[in-house]
Amino acid sequence: MRHGPKILAIESSCDETACAVVEGLYVHTSVIASQVAVHAKFGGVVPELASRHHLTAAVPVLQEAMASANIGLEDLDGLAVTEGPGLVGALLVGVQLAHGLALATGLPLYGIHHMEGHLMSPFLGDAERPARRFAPHLALSVSGGHSELVLVSGLGNYRVLGSTRDDAAGEAFDKVAKLLGLGYPGGPVIDALAAEGDPKAIHFPRAMLADRERFEFSFSGLKTAVSVHVERHGQPDSRAALADLCASFQAAVIEVLVAKARAARRKFGCTAMTVVGGVSANRGLRDALAAAAASDGFELWTPALRYCGDNAAMIGAAAALRMQAGLTPKVQVFASRAIDGAQGAA
Ligand code: KG4
Ligand code: ZN
């Protein structure tokens, strides 16, 4: 059975060099070369180093994706690449490689907005789980660079209801982890420690919680509150104290994200919600959203853990749906930061 157009996709917007072969929403292969080890010692992504590592990884990753999918260029219907937003030097590597492939093969090349890619992640299927039909929903999009609530009315029809005024949710995890000497990226380690701690041990502020009609977030005050707590009380002196601090911080992030998402869903009458982006891997956030779905009566569609972080399968899936819908392929190299810009390709 054919699932849709066969697309070779490339993603290089930040610190993962990724290539995938998809067929519609079905993922044949998704190869990701992570640069986490390169950037960990600097406590964050160093753009120049990211570009250099994309340059050395891009072709081998592409070859591995095609070889393990057992697919040649002649089997493809199209190509996809993340056109932005992201680090310019990093994006350039993927975009130029994709342009080269398009010139050599004559295949159509779809430039995909990175956040539109993340929106596709809950719908991806593979050998381990079936694909889900792409349908309208409310998306809570939370990553290292973005925190936003997006009303998804259809393919390319995205309305950002609100976003963060300062730090993104993932950025808050990363900054707090740095402050606590927990390394980079901070999300997974805080998530694991939080599971052992008491979320009520320390009360941290929940910014913008009171105004439920404004779907904006702010996390920089929370980061400062954690920093002030550490200045006053010193670094946690035991694993239990560290776990309590992480659980209390994480609870503050989750409470705001979930409260705003619930209010937006109610206001716009969505019957389904997704959570996407690197932070969607967070156990506490997934549990809280699942509880909200059960009590408020909506469907919650979550990505498989392997598709929460940056990957090329989500980029290929967005291109496959665009191709199926008859949308014109184009690459807009300076894609705007806002996902509303993804409408431009329609
Ligand atoms: O989507 P992503 O891979 O890259 C961007 O597009 O930004 O997201 C990376 C972010 C990082 O800030 C990382 O700390 C966070 O996702 N993250 C998590 C978890 N896993 C990754 N945050 C909270 N809990 C996690 N389990
Ligand atoms: Zn991302």
Side-chain angles (χ1 to χ4, degrees):
M1 190 190 78
R2 212 172 135 79
H3 302 274
K6 267 198 189 128
I7 306 278
L8 173 66
I10 303 169
E11 150 68 43
S12 70
S13 65
C14 191
D15 59 345
E16 330 277 357
T17 316
C19 289
V21 176
V22 302
E23 192 176 325
L25 291 168
Y26 183 86
V27 183
H28 283 285
T29 50
S30 171
V31 179
I32 303 169
S34 173
Q35 302 177 7
V36 158
V38 175
H39 303 287
K41 53 181 169 292
F42 301 101
V45 178
V46 183
E48 169 74 12
L49 285 179
S51 311
R52 286 172 181 270
H53 280 81
H54 285 307
L55 275 175
T56 51
V59 170
V61 166
L62 185 108
Q63 285 170 329
E64 190 187 330
M66 294 196 64
S68 50
N70 201 14
I71 268 173
L73 289 172
E74 64 285 1
D75 302 316
L76 296 169
D77 298 309
L79 301 162
V81 68
T82 303
E83 62 183 9
L87 302 170
V88 170
L91 286 165
L92 204 62
V93 177
V95 169
Q96 295 304 86
L97 177 58
H99 272 303
L101 285 167
L103 279 172
T105 59
L107 287 167
L109 171 60
Y110 288 81
I112 300 296
H113 193 287
H114 182 76
M115 302 315 291
E116 180 177 45
H118 277 298
L119 291 179
M120 300 298 149
S121 60
F123 302 93
L124 295 176
D126 53 26
E128 281 163 49
R129 104 174 200 184
R132 186 189 297 280
R133 229 179 96 83
F134 181 73
H137 62 274
L138 174 75
L140 172 61
S141 178
V142 273
S143 69
H146 288 76
S147 292
E148 50 197 26
L149 280 162
V150 187
L151 194 60
V152 178
S153 306
L155 182 67
N157 195 342
Y158 313 125
R159 179 174 158 205
V160 177
L161 302 176
S163 49
T164 180
R165 298 182 65 116
D166 39 60
D167 293 349
E171 198 179 347
F173 273 93
D174 294 337
K175 287 181 175 170
V176 165
K178 193 170 182 180
L179 193 88
L180 297 173
L182 296 175
Y184 173 84
V189 53
I190 290 184
D191 191 6
L193 280 160
E196 298 171 24
D198 174 7
K200 294 202 170 77
I202 306 153
H203 184 80
F204 287 126
R206 271 87 166 138
M208 305 195 157
L209 191 58
D211 190 354
R212 301 264 163 112
E213 288 289 297
R214 263 173 76 196
F215 303 114
E216 289 182 314
F217 306 101
S218 165
F219 294 110
S220 82
L222 172 59
K223 172 197 64 193
T224 307
V226 175
S227 158
V228 168
H229 178 87
V230 170
E231 267 167 38
R232 284 204 190 128
H233 303 272
Q235 288 283 353
D237 54 4
S238 66
R239 186 173 173 97
L242 179 61
D244 282 350
L245 184 54
C246 289
S248 301
F249 158 75
Q250 183 169 295
V253 175
I254 292 173
E255 189 178 330
V256 179
L257 291 176
V258 174
K260 296 272 174 179
R262 287 173 91 169
R265 190 207 65 83
R266 228 173 279 126
K267 176 162 181 179
F268 293 94
C270 305
T271 54
M273 192 192 291
T274 64
V275 57
V276 302
V279 183
S280 70
N282 188 272
R283 191 82 334 260
L285 178 59
R286 285 178 170 239
D287 290 348
L289 286 170
S295 76
D296 298 359
F298 62 88
E299 283 192 57
L300 177 68
W301 301 333
T302 52
L305 288 180
R306 55 195 168 282
Y307 302 127
C308 289
D310 289 346
N311 65 85
M314 65 189 196
I315 303 301
L321 292 192
R322 284 181 169 260
M323 189 174 225
Q324 259 171 338
L327 300 179
T328 313
K330 67 175 178 190
V331 183
Q332 205 184 319
V333 178
F334 293 108
S336 75
R337 269 187 73 77
I339 197 180
D340 307 59
Q343 288 176 333

